Amino acid sequence: MSNTNLSLKEKMQAMADLQKSVAKKYGENALMTGKEAIAKGALDNVIIPTPSLELNKALYCGGLSGIVELFGPPASGKTSLAIETLVKGQKEDPNFVALWIETEHSITEEILSQHGVDMSRIFFADQARVDSAESVLDIAYGTIVKGVVNMVVVNSLAGFLPKQEFESDLDKQNVGRTAQLMSKLFRKITLRKYADSLDEK
């Protein structure tokens, strides 16, 4: 950290001048004060409470927020938690819509019905009905950036089959391709949603 003898007034004036310069080059809101960031919603975050009060408390924010990965051994309740959180959202918000991305073919109508899912407010994208993981993730990206879904569930990451891997021989290594796809998707979603939220303010 640099050491400066500038007064607070001098620092604030210098930052104000820098803000103007940055705005000309990158547009408004590229550099903001904390108060401006709050007013623009840059620090807002959507929270989706789970049915577990203990888990919500442990997460500190009161539920699931942003991108969350549930992991654990088989039959440990990962899918059930996702479904029950989805159902809670539907019950508490009449405008709650979810997207379910299926790669394992392990989810059934019976499972969803037993949990009480409103099937009219959940959409499905099945990797098997398109040509690759890239295609189904492209569908997910479209729904997310348009702001038409409140929650996206991927069941599961391990089942994703990238086009490169699908078209290659079984003995060929395609290490990290799924991780690269997901990382790229998350970066694009985060940047696009953040920029759009500022534009709306």
Side-chain angles (χ1 to χ4, degrees):
M1 182 177 292
S2 61
N3 185 19
T4 175
N5 293 321
L6 292 177
S7 67
L8 176 61
K9 182 177 180 180
E10 291 171 323
K11 292 177 181 178
M12 295 304 291
Q13 183 58 55
M15 287 302 298
D17 294 339
L18 182 59
Q19 275 186 291
K20 293 178 182 178
S21 176
V22 169
K24 288 181 180 179
K25 187 173 183 179
Y26 299 107
E28 295 294 330
N29 305 320
L31 178 62
M32 299 179 284
T33 66
K35 289 184 177 180
E36 290 169 340
I38 292 172
K40 290 291 183 179
L43 303 181
D44 292 349
N45 217 346
V46 176
I47 308 296
I48 301 179
T50 76
S52 170
L53 296 178
E54 293 83 0
L55 178 58
N56 293 341
K57 183 177 180 180
L59 293 170
Y60 291 100
C61 63
L64 305 181
S65 177
I67 299 162
V68 179
E69 182 177 1
L70 305 176
F71 61 93
S76 59
K78 302 183 296 297
T79 303
S80 292
L81 177 61
I83 297 174
E84 290 171 10
T85 300
L86 189 159
V87 170
K88 182 176 174 63
Q90 288 184 330
K91 288 181 177 179
E92 296 180 353
D93 181 359
N95 298 314
F96 192 97
V97 174
L99 171 66
W100 188 284
I101 297 176
E102 185 63 28
T103 68
E104 294 186 347
H105 312 293
S106 60
I107 200 69
T108 66
E109 178 186 355
E110 181 181 6
I111 293 173
L112 296 175
S113 297
Q114 287 177 348
H115 283 84
V117 175
D118 180 350
M119 301 301 285
S120 68
R121 289 189 286 147
I122 183 173
F123 290 81
F124 288 87
D126 192 333
Q127 180 180 237
R129 295 183 181 274
V130 294
D131 59 0
S132 63
E134 287 88 342
S135 296
V136 77
L137 288 176
D138 190 51
I139 294 171
Y141 178 74
T143 65
I144 294 169
V145 298
K146 290 181 183 296
V148 295
V149 293
N150 301 86
M151 179 178 181
V152 177
V153 178
V154 178
N155 184 44
S156 69
L157 291 179
F160 272 132
L161 183 62
K163 188 173 183 179
Q164 179 182 342
E165 184 177 342
F166 178 73
E167 295 178 345
S168 65
D169 295 334
L170 291 176
D171 60 350
K172 186 174 181 180
Q173 296 295 319
N174 295 284
V175 178
R177 181 56 182 160
T178 297
Q180 292 172 359
L181 285 175
M182 297 306 297
S183 178
K184 180 179 180 180
L185 175 69
F186 295 159
R187 292 195 304 271
K188 288 182 65 175
I189 291 172
T190 301
L191 182 61
R192 178 69 179 272
K193 291 288 288 182
Y194 176 74
D196 289 348
S197 69
L198 293 181
D199 290 340
E200 293 171 359
K201 297 292 183 177

